[in-house]
Amino acid sequence: MCGIVGIVAQRPVNQALYDALTVLQHRGQDAAGISTEHAGTLYSRKALGLVRDVFQERHMLRLKGNMGIGHTRYPTAGCSSSSEAQPFYVNSPYGICLAHNGNLTNATELKELLVNHDRRHLNTGSDTEALLNVFADELQRQDGAELTPRGVFAAVAGVHRRCRGGYAVVAMILGHGIVAFRDPNGIRPVCLGQREGAEGTEYMVASESVAMDALDFRLVGDIAPGEAVYIEASGRLHRQQCGGPRSYTPCIFEFVYFARPDSIIDRISVYKSRLRMGERLAEKILRERPQHDIDVVIPIPDSSRTSALEVAHRLGVKYREGFIKNRYIGRTFIMPGQALRRQSVRRKLNAIDLEFRDKNVLLVDDSIVRGTTSRQIIEMAREAGARRVYFASASPPVRFPNVYGIDMPVTGELVASGRTDAEVAGFIGADWLVYQDLDDLVRAVRYDNGDIAEFDTSCFSGHYVTGDVTPAYLARLESERCDAARAQREPVVDDSHDDDSAGVDEFPSRPRAGVA
């Protein structure tokens, strides 16, 4: 999962892009990048690390221009390398800089066609670079000497014809404007915001609406499945449906885990959806254990807090914060490598003994993926003196990999794959385990938006909405994504971009007098 942002303004955008990326930091902690354009020159800074570490004052001062894009990344199938930090850039046509959230399911075939048929060079294994080159190739095919909104939308339509999977994209065409578009299934989110200033109207696109709130942009709405938005450098906005939406099936895991609770995605409040997850989970607990002996409900911070609060309320028991989180440790789900995830749990969480001692505790988490983190947390609860430890998941069992941009483990590494609920409870050490039902999860999320008939629930149901995910594809994915394979290919970290001599790269989009 990644975070993307793009801004066209009447003033310098470097600080606004930085601020937006800090708000979207939860979507990726592996690398960050910003690219801006001024007087025909592209200024770019990207490197491994958190936003606050990648951008120092000297970098910010050199990111000139009133138009730019940014990205926070975590690796999906690739390795943790600065060469795959985004945005990516190609100099023809016009000079295009692009950032992307998601995953292309036909990336391998695309790369072969780009290299062998279109004669384009690919420098990394990233599907973002492939997507950028497809967009560049489609723009190159457009008639006329001048770039027009019609030509931009025709190029986006070409991308939709050639690319499959889940993707939300923001691209900057130097000297012209910013383009943002979303896959025809609407799997990955992206929204549009507007701000009126003394100098004129300014526009922003971002993965989540919370980035709009932080910068005082008014949320205009979501970019629809298959739709593209083109914002000219002058500030003129164009919108067009380019892909003919195949379905409206946003990823439900955004609401379960990834998105911030204060975001609105596809006209659905993430916070309210998590409250309703808690309501339905409590109803199931009462059905299965009407005479329960739960003394206290404790969330696993942070994303399960909202659901846990409603569970406690519906059960009529105390809600307590039993774990204190070290906020300087990253989200373990998106850390590369099982060893790092395992090491970080006890550094990240510390139990308050008073809330556990001699109590029957219900721990509530948003999901159970590998199960190893859940097992360690249950051990911590017992060490803190809990009499019994029950565990509730606000989402159903995760039995299948996600192929649309979430770095979910392969099937063999998912604790629920091939196990009953009782067997999972035994693995994680819980006295009792309850999962949310899939139908209840869908109803909890869909409540605010009747336009959405279904969601991408592939990691729970095994149904992949793009219709092109085959057993052979999943087998190949397993060979690329498993922790053992990653450990073998993990590179020596390239620190060249973090050296004091490394600053902001400048790329003239075309020869200009006086430009370095």
Side-chain angles (χ1 to χ4, degrees):
M1 190 61 58
C2 302
I4 60 172
V5 60
I7 299 176
V8 175
Q10 308 299 323
R11 67 190 102 174
V13 295
N14 51 357
Q15 186 65 51
L17 289 168
Y18 176 92
D19 292 343
L21 291 183
T22 60
V23 174
L24 297 174
Q25 185 74 85
H26 62 285
R27 298 186 69 85
Q29 301 166 2
D30 177 67
I34 290 176
S35 295
T36 61
E37 187 259 358
H38 176 67
T41 296
L42 171 67
Y43 298 88
S44 187
R45 165 68 180 172
K46 57 181 182 176
L48 294 178
L50 300 176
V51 175
R52 67 179 183 226
D53 299 321
V54 170
F55 303 101
Q56 305 302 316
E57 183 178 4
R58 66 184 187 276
H59 306 129
M60 297 297 294
L61 290 172
R62 297 187 66 191
L63 288 167
K64 304 174 185 177
N66 297 350
M67 178 172 71
I69 65 174
H71 186 265
T72 58
R73 174 186 186 265
Y74 90 95
T76 303
C79 56
S80 182
S81 167
S82 59
S83 66
E84 294 195 359
Q86 298 181 40
F88 281 98
Y89 171 72
V90 291
N91 66 359
S92 177
Y94 309 108
I96 306 170
C97 209
L98 183 144
H100 154 242
N101 170 35
N103 186 59
L104 302 183
T105 54
N106 65 332
T108 300
E109 299 90 333
L110 273 180
K111 291 170 188 176
E112 291 175 358
L113 286 170
L114 285 166
V115 172
N116 299 324
H117 182 267
D118 298 332
R119 302 294 189 263
R120 301 192 74 91
H121 172 72
L122 300 179
N123 200 47
T124 71
S126 171
D127 60 345
T128 305
E129 188 183 17
L131 198 156
L132 167 59
N133 277 271
V134 170
F135 181 55
D137 184 63
E138 290 294 330
L139 271 182
Q140 191 82 59
R141 296 169 187 255
Q142 302 308 309
D143 296 329
E146 294 296 323
L147 183 67
T148 64
R150 182 176 180 179
V152 170
F153 293 138
V156 174
V159 172
H160 290 324
R161 285 193 298 271
R162 295 168 65 176
C163 296
R164 298 195 301 272
Y167 50 90
V169 176
V170 60
M172 179 169 62
I173 306 173
L174 271 63
H176 293 86
I178 284 180
V179 187
F181 55 93
R182 190 179 185 188
D183 65 86
N185 294 100
I187 298 172
R188 298 270 67 90
V190 61
C191 57
L192 173 69
Q194 178 179 325
R195 181 172 66 186
E196 299 296 338
E199 297 89 354
T201 303
E202 301 175 334
Y203 290 100
M204 175 181 181
V205 293
S207 295
E208 295 184 34
S209 66
V210 68
M212 313 282 182
D213 300 337
L215 275 71
D216 200 27
F217 277 76
R218 177 180 61 86
L219 177 64
V220 174
D222 302 280
I223 296 178
E227 185 186 19
V229 168
Y230 176 43
I231 310 160
E232 295 185 61
S234 63
R236 189 176 180 186
L237 174 71
H238 308 268
R239 303 183 71 167
Q240 185 171 307
Q241 181 58 242
C242 299
R246 299 177 190 137
S247 64
Y248 200 165
T249 50
C251 175
I252 205 164
F253 214 73
E254 289 276 357
F255 300 90
V256 169
Y257 175 80
F258 269 105
R260 274 181 42 157
D262 44 346
S263 280
I264 306 292
I265 296 178
D266 292 306
R267 297 194 295 111
I268 298 171
S269 164
V270 176
Y271 173 76
K272 285 293 190 72
S273 69
R274 289 178 183 169
L275 278 179
R276 291 190 293 269
M277 290 178 207
E279 291 175 5
R280 294 184 179 277
L281 186 57
E283 289 168 3
K284 182 174 182 180
I285 292 171
L286 290 172
R287 286 196 306 271
E288 296 196 357
R289 294 206 167 187
Q291 305 301 320
H292 69 81
D293 58 353
I294 299 167
D295 297 315
V296 62
V297 172
I298 294 177
I300 311 301
D302 282 318
S303 49
S304 64
R305 278 197 173 105
T306 310
S307 295
L309 186 63
E310 193 62 21
V311 168
H313 175 71
R314 292 289 172 132
L315 295 182
V317 302
K318 295 177 182 177
Y319 169 90
R320 291 291 185 268
E321 293 284 344
F323 292 104
I324 299 303
K325 181 179 179 180
N326 180 348
R327 299 187 181 281
Y328 302 97
I329 300 293
R331 300 177 88 176
T332 55
F333 179 86
I334 58 178
M335 282 186 174
Q338 179 67 2
L340 280 178
R341 288 186 292 270
R342 201 162 41 234
Q343 292 169 12
S344 73
V345 174
R346 286 181 181 266
R347 297 183 210 159
K348 184 173 72 170
L349 295 178
N350 189 46
I352 301 175
D353 292 7
L354 291 174
E355 298 298 349
F356 291 91
R357 193 175 302 150
D358 298 325
K359 295 177 182 176
N360 297 333
V361 178
L362 175 66
L363 301 180
V364 178
D365 208 349
D366 51 73
S367 59
I368 306 172
V369 183
R370 290 174 174 86
T372 50
T373 298
S374 304
R375 182 166 58 187
Q376 289 184 71
I377 289 171
I378 290 172
E379 289 173 1
M380 292 170 65
R382 294 194 189 282
E383 291 167 5
R387 188 187 307 119
R388 292 189 181 89
V389 182
Y390 308 129
F391 207 94
S393 169
S395 62
V398 178
R399 303 189 191 278
F400 305 92
N402 183 285
V403 302
Y404 301 127
I406 296 178
D407 191 24
M408 200 156 280
V410 297
T411 303
E413 294 170 356
L414 296 169
V415 67
S417 177
R419 288 187 174 97
T420 65
D421 293 359
E423 288 170 338
V424 175
F427 179 86
I428 65 176
D431 293 298
W432 180 59
L433 168 66
V434 59
Y435 281 107
Q436 182 88 263
D437 290 335
L438 181 55
D439 287 345
D440 283 344
L441 175 63
V442 171
R443 281 195 290 268
V445 178
R446 188 174 55 199
Y447 181 87
D448 283 343
N449 190 350
D451 294 340
I452 298 175
E454 60 178 313
F455 291 84
D456 168 54
T457 62
S458 53
C459 57
F460 307 123
S461 64
H463 171 63
Y464 296 93
V465 296
T466 54
D468 61 338
V469 178
T470 64
Y473 176 84
L474 292 175
R476 187 178 72 204
L477 205 68
E478 182 146 1
S479 68
E480 294 171 350
R481 285 194 183 180
C482 68
D483 283 338
R486 290 185 180 187
Q488 288 181 354
R489 67 170 180 261
E490 191 67 24
V492 176
V493 174
D494 175 9
D495 292 325
S496 61
H497 286 278
D498 297 318
D499 190 270
D500 283 341
S501 62
V504 174
D505 297 321
E506 299 181 20
F507 305 97
S509 61
R510 53 194 179 275
R512 296 179 63 90
V515 176

